[in-house]
Amino acid sequence: MTRAVPQRALVLATAAAILVAGAILLSNFLRNADRGLVCSFPPVFSHISSGSSGDVKGELAEALLYYVTTPQIPQQSRAEIRLTFDVLRRRSPCNFLVFGLGRDSQMWAALNAGGTTVFLEDDKEWYELVLKDNPFLRAHYVKYRTRVDEAGKLLTGYRAEPECRPGQADGIAGLQHNGGCPLALVGLPQEIYEREWDVVMIDAPKGYFPSAPGRMAAIYSAAVMGRGRRGEGETDVFLHNVDRKVEKAFGLEFLCQKNRVGATGRLWHFRIPKARPNETTSGTTFC
């Protein structure tokens, strides 16, 4: 007759098995991962001041534990992730605004450990699901006023709208209370307007069917934020899914080809300089 295993022994055996499995997964990850990416983790945090908020080591440990124990993979390729990683390595800790929650959200937050990473998500069900598993993420549920099937009209029509024009729409004033411009992101949480965003990732909202919100307003607003930057420096903006017509067209119209400093796969990297007080423009276009 088989003897029953005591509950405590069973729990300990299970925990040991999980630790062994995690160690195997971690060693496989370290062997197979991009060596430059893995070996670069410490420098990301090397210049974080002792006064930085949050548990930096804890954030990185949580992210590492998550990614070595989940079958889910990030929504961007390794090369695309690396493009943003290199900028975060240089600028972290910083203010990092991410349009969209996803399987890579914990990674982005960890790579900016010690800084402020905020996510904006328009899919209520997905928002609740992601935060249920990752309650420590700083995220807001938001709504957009645009639709993909209106993209063409928005692209050509904004030039006739005084509220949308560069110079008049630059900075927070060009967004927060600018309901007259259909591309301006109004009604966002107050902290989005109060902070100066150093890095912006546009990987949402959905843009692959006609009634989807599309990324038109996110792209326009990132340009307005960058041009209206109050402090020194530039704003790094990453735009994903540029293989799609709308993302490509709006990226070139508002973020500008002259500001594009990198690209890989379906990701473009722009560096937006702040508008100079005496800068002259055509008055109708951003580039």
Side-chain angles (χ1 to χ4, degrees), residues 17 19 40 44 48 52 70 74 104 118 136 141 151 166 170 172 191-192 206-207 224 234 267:
L19 287 173
S40 297
V44 173
I48 294 178
S52 297
T70 179
D104 50 9
V118 177
F136 49 85
Y141 169 65
D170 291 342
I172 297 306
E191 74 165 323
I192 305 303
K206 296 184 182 72
V224 169
E234 300 168 315
L267 185 71

Side-chain angles (χ1 to χ4, degrees), residues 144-216:
Y144 295 90
R145 302 184 291 162
T146 55
R147 290 170 53 108
V148 169
D149 55 11
E150 299 173 344
K153 180 177 66 175
L154 290 168
L155 188 61
T156 58
Y158 89 91
R159 299 180 186 181
E161 299 288 345
E163 296 89 345
C164 297
R165 294 176 186 172
Q168 294 171 297
D170 291 342
I172 297 306
L175 294 180
Q176 187 174 14
H177 305 297
N178 195 10
C181 177
L183 288 169
L185 289 177
V186 298
L188 296 180
Q190 189 62 29
E191 74 165 323
I192 305 303
Y193 303 116
E194 291 176 347
R195 288 186 182 275
E196 187 112 287
W197 300 103
D198 305 303
V199 182
V200 180
M201 169 67 72
I202 304 173
D203 205 1
K206 296 184 182 72
Y208 53 86
F209 55 93
S211 62
R215 300 176 187 176
M216 300 83 71

Side-chain angles (χ1 to χ4, degrees), residues 125-140:
E125 185 176 347
W126 180 244
Y127 168 82
E128 293 175 347
L129 180 63
V130 172
L131 288 189
K132 180 180 179 181
D133 295 333
N134 305 275
F136 49 85
L137 291 178
R138 193 167 181 165
H140 301 284

Side-chain angles (χ1 to χ4, degrees), residues 22-38:
I24 293 173
L25 284 168
L26 178 57
S27 76
N28 287 336
F29 170 77
L30 293 175
R31 279 200 304 270
N32 299 326
D34 179 340
R35 184 172 299 276
L37 186 62
V38 173

Side-chain angles (χ1 to χ4, degrees), residues 229-241:
R229 186 178 181 88
R230 299 180 297 276
E232 295 301 318
E234 300 168 315
T235 304
D236 287 288
V237 178
F238 294 89
L239 175 60
H240 198 223
N241 297 119

